Amino acid sequence: MSEEQKRILESKLWDIANILRGKMNANQFQDYILGFIFYKYLSEKMLTEINIVLAPDGITYEDIIEGTKQGDSDLEELKSIMVEKVGYFLKPSELFSSIAKKGNAKSEDENKESVDVFILEDLERILRNIERSTLGTESQDDFDNLFYDIDLNSQKIGKTAEERNRTISKIMNALNQIDFDLANTESDVLGDAYEYLIGKFAEGAGQKAGEFYTPQQVSTILAKLVTVGKTKLKSVYDPTCGSGSLLLRVAKQVDEIGQFYGQEMNRTTYNLARMNMILHDVSYLKFDIKNEDTLERPQHNEQQFEAIVANPPFSANWSANPLFMDDERFSQFGALAPKGKADFAFVQHMFHHLAENGTMATVLPHGVLFRGSTEEKIRKHFIEELNAIDAVIGLPANIFFGTGIATCILVLKKCRKDNEDILFIDASKGFEKQGNQNILLPEHINKIVDTYQNRTTQDKFSYVAKLDEVRENEYNLNIPRYVDTFEDEEVIDINTIANEIKALDVNLKKNQQTIADFCNQLNIETPF
């Protein structure tokens, strides 16, 4: 599929999303649109796989008749095959195309008048049946309450059941007209379109966007940093995974990832992450995403990961419970991050789960680089005792949705090759302004990653600081202490300026004389 065809698909999907625009906020109607796209994907994915299974018998799924003895027997057999193969099951009458066609049909009421066919009850039952089809199987956790946020009885869709039915039927019929091109296994077109929609919803969600979406250019930098020199990863982990876009971005940088891991506190966003993984054709056997508070109740204890990426909520609140001083993630530092600034708590958590051969890269507010008290103590331990900080990268301001603050990326390793220095990069000036946002273009991203990979000092952009220099700065990692971006002021020639002023005076007198002549001719007073 060409780039033009991709743009057309994205445009069509966004036009469908606009059916609900105005009825509710972006972060509300995304649940419906993304949920229905996901349902359509599940239907088409299973139909493709099930027809492959049936091909040797010379029949298709449409040939199986529900409600007959033979048909029901065949469906039970196919269910066990499909649940193991794709993780879920849908009967022919439960496929997206079947329910969409039903919603687009008309029937006659008791007065022989044409009315819409009511599909909301059928649709609600089907979505629950998808979840129930996984009970007692390996995919149960990945589908449990997956469609919880799709409330078909919400009055925001329509005040009456008929209005709600009409709106949902319109959305499903429009989606049913789009070919998802699942047979094209070389193309991740639908996954890219899904990511596009998530990004569009993030634009409309403002401040709330940070809860579920990392801008693509930032996630690309993180993904490239943790995969330098690698073509395969045993595992990748995001402790605040949002919609899962960061995990999937890492997958685009390597040929193979063994397992995806993530944790997300927000239930709606957690559902979105699971949908996003499945829709990108990541097998339910290859991802493990949990719904819990990462700092307070971590779910991947005793596990270590080869790559860790994250965009934690900036300066979030957490309990900072003194009992955490006995927690392996924090105990060696002898200090906890402040209650109102959990930034370093996330860094400590990630580092604890980092494999010996791994790399972690996380986005943080600049304050972590220089704030004092317990944060200074933690920072010093990372530098002096663990020698883990590999690079500090300053990003431009106003690149995240909902906040204009400048941010930085910390890159950490347990076994550093270049263990006598820390690389500092000031990339704050490298961006293009597009509307209200600053955007990192490919050339900006490549310059950051190339500089990190080559560890070079470049005038006004990067500096390789020896650890002794960091000690002299009392473990303050504020980038301007290391990368001199000062621009010399242009030398001003006073004599030249004086001559220019004299020339202006001469011109002024000539112009005043010209105006005075005009005024005399018009027999009016001069204005000076």
Side-chain angles (χ1 to χ4, degrees):
M1 183 176 278
S2 68
E3 285 299 315
E4 179 62 24
Q5 288 171 310
K6 276 178 62 176
R7 280 192 289 272
I8 290 171
L9 173 61
E10 291 168 353
S11 178
K12 285 181 178 178
L13 292 174
W14 186 240
D15 285 344
I16 293 169
N18 283 329
I19 293 172
L20 284 176
R21 182 185 286 276
K23 292 180 181 288
M24 55 186 73
N25 295 329
N27 61 310
Q28 293 175 316
F29 71 81
Q30 73 169 15
D31 300 334
Y32 295 90
I33 301 301
L34 296 176
F36 290 144
I37 292 173
F38 180 65
Y39 168 34
K40 177 175 166 67
Y41 168 81
L42 292 182
S43 294
E44 296 191 8
K45 175 73 172 177
M46 199 204 75
L47 188 60
T48 300
E49 295 291 343
I50 213 164
N51 280 334
I52 292 172
V53 172
L54 293 173
D57 297 325
I59 62 172
T60 66
Y61 202 37
E62 292 177 349
D63 298 325
I64 296 176
I65 303 172
E66 293 179 62
T68 64
K69 186 175 181 180
Q70 183 60 49
D72 290 345
S73 175
D74 291 342
L75 289 175
E76 277 302 311
E77 185 178 348
L78 287 169
K79 179 180 178 179
S80 62
I81 295 172
M82 284 299 106
V83 169
E84 182 177 351
K85 191 174 182 65
V86 297
Y88 61 93
F89 183 70
L90 285 158
K91 295 177 182 178
S93 61
E94 295 175 332
L95 294 173
F96 185 95
S97 57
S98 298
I99 197 72
K101 288 174 185 174
K102 185 176 180 180
N104 196 40
K106 296 287 184 180
S107 65
E108 290 186 349
D109 63 12
E110 57 188 17
N111 298 318
K112 302 293 185 181
E113 293 182 1
S114 179
V115 294
D116 295 325
V117 175
F118 198 78
I119 63 168
L120 293 189
E121 291 178 358
D122 287 342
L123 183 55
E124 191 164 8
R125 172 181 52 79
I126 291 168
L127 297 181
R128 298 296 164 253
N129 282 349
I130 294 174
E131 297 170 358
R132 291 192 191 102
S133 72
T134 70
L135 293 176
T137 71
E138 288 189 73
S139 61
Q140 179 177 338
D141 287 347
D142 299 317
F143 284 83
D144 182 43
N145 283 323
L146 196 53
F147 296 100
Y148 182 89
D149 295 293
I150 300 179
D151 182 5
L152 299 176
N153 296 310
S154 172
Q155 291 203 356
K156 291 177 181 177
I157 305 173
K159 292 184 178 180
T160 66
E162 288 72 21
E163 286 180 12
R164 294 193 289 273
N165 185 73
R166 198 174 303 118
T167 300
I168 297 301
S169 295
K170 186 177 180 181
I171 292 170
M172 296 193 67
N173 183 54
L175 278 174
N176 201 41
Q177 307 304 312
I178 298 177
D179 180 10
F180 279 179
D181 193 28
L182 295 188
N184 184 2
T185 54
E186 296 299 314
S187 176
D188 194 16
V189 173
L190 183 58
D192 289 344
Y194 204 69
E195 287 281 320
Y196 165 81
L197 283 184
I198 292 173
K200 292 290 284 184
F201 286 127
E203 288 178 21
Q207 188 106 19
K208 280 189 156 294
E211 295 177 9
F212 63 88
Y213 188 71
T214 301
Q216 192 175 105
Q217 69 265 22
V218 178
S219 62
T220 298
I221 295 173
L222 296 175
K224 284 179 176 289
L225 290 173
V226 299
T227 56
V228 167
K230 296 184 178 182
T231 58
K232 294 182 180 180
L233 291 173
K234 288 183 179 178
S235 57
V236 59
Y237 171 59
D238 183 346
T240 57
C241 69
S243 65
S245 60
L246 246 176
L247 291 169
L248 292 163
R249 189 62 50 184
V250 174
K252 288 182 178 290
Q253 299 301 321
V254 291
D255 297 331
E256 182 183 341
I257 291 181
Q259 199 77 18
F260 298 82
Y261 295 89
Q263 189 164 334
E264 172 55 43
M265 182 168 63
N266 182 288
R267 187 202 63 221
T268 299
T269 310
Y270 161 68
N271 287 339
L272 180 56
R274 291 186 294 167
M275 289 182 186
N276 205 7
M277 299 299 287
I278 294 168
L279 196 136
H280 278 82
D281 208 24
V282 177
S283 168
Y284 68 92
L285 295 170
K286 290 190 67 174
F287 71 87
D288 178 14
I289 297 178
K290 303 295 187 185
N291 179 208
E292 259 297 357
D293 185 315
T294 297
L295 296 180
E296 306 291 342
R297 290 173 290 280
Q299 297 295 299
H300 297 96
N301 297 317
E302 311 305 324
Q303 289 181 270
Q304 291 192 320
F305 312 104
E306 189 173 355
I308 299 178
V309 286
N311 174 23
F314 302 150
S315 301
N317 294 317
W318 77 304
S319 70
N321 191 321
L323 293 175
F324 279 132
M325 288 301 294
D326 294 325
D327 189 307
E328 287 184 343
R329 297 173 294 169
F330 313 112
S331 57
Q332 66 170 305
F333 295 87
L336 297 175
K339 280 186 177 182
K341 293 182 176 63
D343 308 301
F344 259 125
F346 283 109
V347 177
Q348 290 167 302
H349 169 89
M350 286 183 268
F351 190 76
H352 173 73
H353 286 288
L354 186 64
E356 294 296 319
N357 67 333
T359 304
M360 60 170 274
T362 180
V363 181
L364 298 163
H366 272 279
V368 300
L369 303 178
F370 54 80
R371 288 192 296 245
S373 191
T374 57
E375 290 181 287
E376 181 181 358
K377 188 173 183 179
I378 295 168
R379 193 168 57 243
K380 180 179 178 181
H381 190 88
F382 268 122
I383 297 167
E384 199 65 74
E385 305 301 326
L386 299 174
N387 194 8
I389 298 180
D390 200 43
V392 180
I393 302 168
L395 297 176
N398 204 32
I399 57 174
F400 288 90
F401 296 115
T403 177
I405 67 169
T407 54
C408 67
I409 294 174
L410 279 190
V411 184
L412 286 83
K413 294 181 177 180
K414 285 188 175 176
C415 299
R416 295 206 300 138
K417 179 183 176 183
D418 303 284
N419 59 4
E420 295 297 323
D421 54 54
I422 297 174
L423 172 66
F424 291 84
I425 297 175
D426 185 348
S428 61
K429 305 288 193 300
F431 63 88
E432 180 179 280
K433 190 167 184 61
Q434 294 183 8
N436 295 325
Q437 295 290 129
N438 293 332
I439 303 295
L440 291 160
L441 300 178
E443 55 263 35
H444 302 134
I445 294 171
N446 291 336
K447 186 177 182 181
I448 292 170
V449 177
D450 289 345
T451 304
Y452 171 73
Q453 193 166 3
N454 298 320
R455 298 186 79 80
T456 55
T457 293
Q458 299 177 44
D459 186 41
K460 302 188 187 312
F461 184 74
S462 64
Y463 180 74
V464 180
K466 294 296 183 183
L467 292 181
D468 282 341
E469 191 171 348
V470 176
R471 293 185 186 102
E472 289 171 9
N473 279 313
E474 298 179 332
Y475 308 99
N476 186 317
L477 301 179
N478 201 16
I479 297 170
R481 285 181 176 245
Y482 304 93
V483 182
D484 181 9
T485 58
F486 179 76
E487 297 284 350
D488 291 330
E489 291 186 14
E490 185 181 350
V491 177
I492 298 174
D493 187 331
I494 300 298
N495 291 327
T496 300
I497 297 297
N499 289 331
E500 288 176 355
I501 293 173
K502 288 178 182 177
L504 288 173
D505 285 340
V506 170
N507 288 334
L508 178 62
K509 288 177 181 178
K510 288 181 179 179
N511 290 333
Q512 286 178 336
Q513 183 59 51
T514 300
I515 294 170
D517 290 343
F518 287 145
C519 290
N520 288 333
Q521 293 175 37
L522 295 170
N523 200 26
I524 60 174
E525 291 187 12
T526 60
F528 41 80

